[in-house]
Amino acid sequence: MRRILLIKTSSLGDVVHNLPVASDISAAAPGVEIEWVVEESIAAIPRLHPAVARVLPIAIRRWRASLLNGATRAEIRAFLNGLRQTTYDAVIDTQGLLKSAFIAYAARGVRYGPDLASAREPLSFFYDRTFKVPWTLHAVERNRALAAQALGYAAPPRVDYGIAAPAAKFAWLPEGRYAVLLHATSARSKLWPPEKWADLGKRIAERGLRSVMPWGNAAERLRAEEIARTVPGSVAPPALAISDAVGVLAGADAVVGVDTGLTHLAAALGRPTVGVYVATDPAATGLYGCPRGLNLGGIGTPPTVAEVLAALGRLGTAS
């Protein structure tokens, strides 16, 4: 076994959840070359993993908006030509969606994926071999179980995300200790109320931590600025590329976030991280296998500010 292709294109949280697969494969087959197909906007994430030799960026989200455009078609052809230049010993699709199955089908090599009962879409005919992956498992373990069955190894008992990053320095970033408050998420149902973020920011300011509140779109920026106006020493930063966000998270003394990809990334980087769950079940997709990560709340049971502060205290920060 010399060369393996992993297909997990999006979203950010799902890509973070797939990082332990690269660690497991590297441990089971030292010296193997792992390549990874991922959306261009988050290609910086698999590049953090030392076992990933090559990242193949794809732009499905951007291409969908201009499929009839000649430049888009040329980009698609170039991606497929680059993909097919290599013959892989194994092509493993842990995404289990039509878009990822098409990529697997286009690649050269033995294709592995979830069986009919284990995928969200009927895809088994795209693969050479399929495997059962129980839906009762956490997303991280589903990915690991599929890859382990495909390559015939036993996944190690410990989850290893395998990534690290240096803390970044920016002119806007406060000097001294800071916490990152990840208030933004794509689903409104997952949001924690702004007044709770403001209260949390004030409480951790009393403990010597400034608050940094990243945002991803105009509405999130307005919310971040509104919260920041009420919290001493806090900052709503400029728009951050994912590579910049990695550096900000890496330098944080604490991270609190709703169910969003950056929260999972912070925990994977080993930062003290509290996941705030409002409308989703952390047992399925919460922070997992991270010794400095804690999940609070659940479907219809959001945590209180006091509970978040207590969790930060258990993690040894903001206390």
Side-chain angles (χ1 to χ4, degrees):
M1 189 74 62
R2 294 188 309 106
R3 190 170 283 115
I4 294 168
L5 181 67
L6 300 180
I7 303 173
K8 179 74 85 171
T9 62
S10 61
S11 60
L12 175 56
D14 292 339
V15 170
V16 171
H17 285 159
N18 204 53
L19 289 167
V21 171
S23 300
D24 292 350
I25 293 173
S26 179
V32 69
E33 288 193 10
I34 299 172
E35 301 187 11
W36 189 322
V37 178
V38 65
E39 275 285 336
E40 60 182 3
S41 61
I42 51 177
I45 302 308
R47 287 190 178 118
L48 291 171
H49 201 297
V52 177
R54 180 181 174 222
V55 172
L56 287 72
I58 197 167
I60 294 173
R61 293 178 176 180
R62 180 166 56 81
W63 292 340
R64 280 175 178 162
S66 57
L67 281 175
L68 299 181
N69 183 281
T72 297
R73 293 199 302 271
E75 280 190 46
I76 295 171
R77 284 195 300 270
F79 169 79
L80 292 173
N81 289 337
L83 176 68
R84 293 179 62 80
Q85 284 178 3
T86 301
T87 298
Y88 298 96
D89 296 291
V91 176
I92 305 175
D93 175 17
T94 58
Q95 188 100 44
L97 294 175
L98 187 60
K99 62 181 180 180
S100 59
F102 270 125
I103 297 166
Y105 191 74
R108 297 183 186 276
V110 182
R111 298 177 291 269
Y112 302 94
D115 67 13
L116 190 60
S118 305
R120 283 175 282 179
E121 298 173 351
L123 307 170
S124 56
F125 58 89
F126 283 97
Y127 310 120
D128 297 304
R129 290 194 63 191
T130 61
F131 302 96
K132 181 176 180 59
V133 185
W135 285 102
T136 53
L137 294 176
H138 188 280
V140 169
E141 294 299 349
R142 297 189 83 244
N143 295 332
R144 298 179 77 206
L146 177 56
Q149 290 179 85
L151 300 181
Y153 62 81
R158 187 176 75 88
V159 175
D160 178 12
Y161 287 86
I163 61 171
K169 295 194 177 199
F170 299 97
W172 57 263
L173 189 60
E175 289 291 333
R177 302 170 65 224
Y178 64 90
V180 177
L181 306 186
L182 298 169
H183 60 94
T185 180
S186 58
R188 290 185 60 85
S189 61
K190 298 179 182 180
L191 293 174
W192 207 40
E195 60 269 20
K196 291 189 181 294
W197 288 112
D199 188 15
L200 177 64
K202 292 171 186 175
R203 301 281 290 277
I204 63 175
E206 295 169 358
R207 292 158 171 80
L209 292 180
R210 295 189 177 191
S211 295
V212 175
M213 287 169 278
W215 50 272
N217 58 41
E220 293 169 0
R221 179 179 183 176
L222 287 174
R223 184 168 63 247
E225 291 173 343
E226 175 188 347
I227 298 168
R229 280 194 291 270
T230 69
V231 178
S234 63
V235 59
L240 298 175
I242 189 65
S243 56
D244 292 335
V246 168
V248 172
L249 292 172
D253 279 76
V255 179
V256 179
V258 290
D259 186 7
T260 189
L262 288 176
T263 308
H264 295 283
L265 178 58
L269 286 166
R271 306 319 302 148
T273 304
V274 176
V276 172
Y277 290 81
V278 175
T280 49
D281 181 5
T285 56
L287 306 181
Y288 185 84
C290 306
R292 305 186 76 188
L294 289 173
N295 297 309
L296 295 178
I299 300 172
T301 58
T304 65
V305 172
E307 288 171 331
V308 173
L309 288 167
L312 288 171
R314 293 199 299 276
L315 293 171
T317 187
S319 56

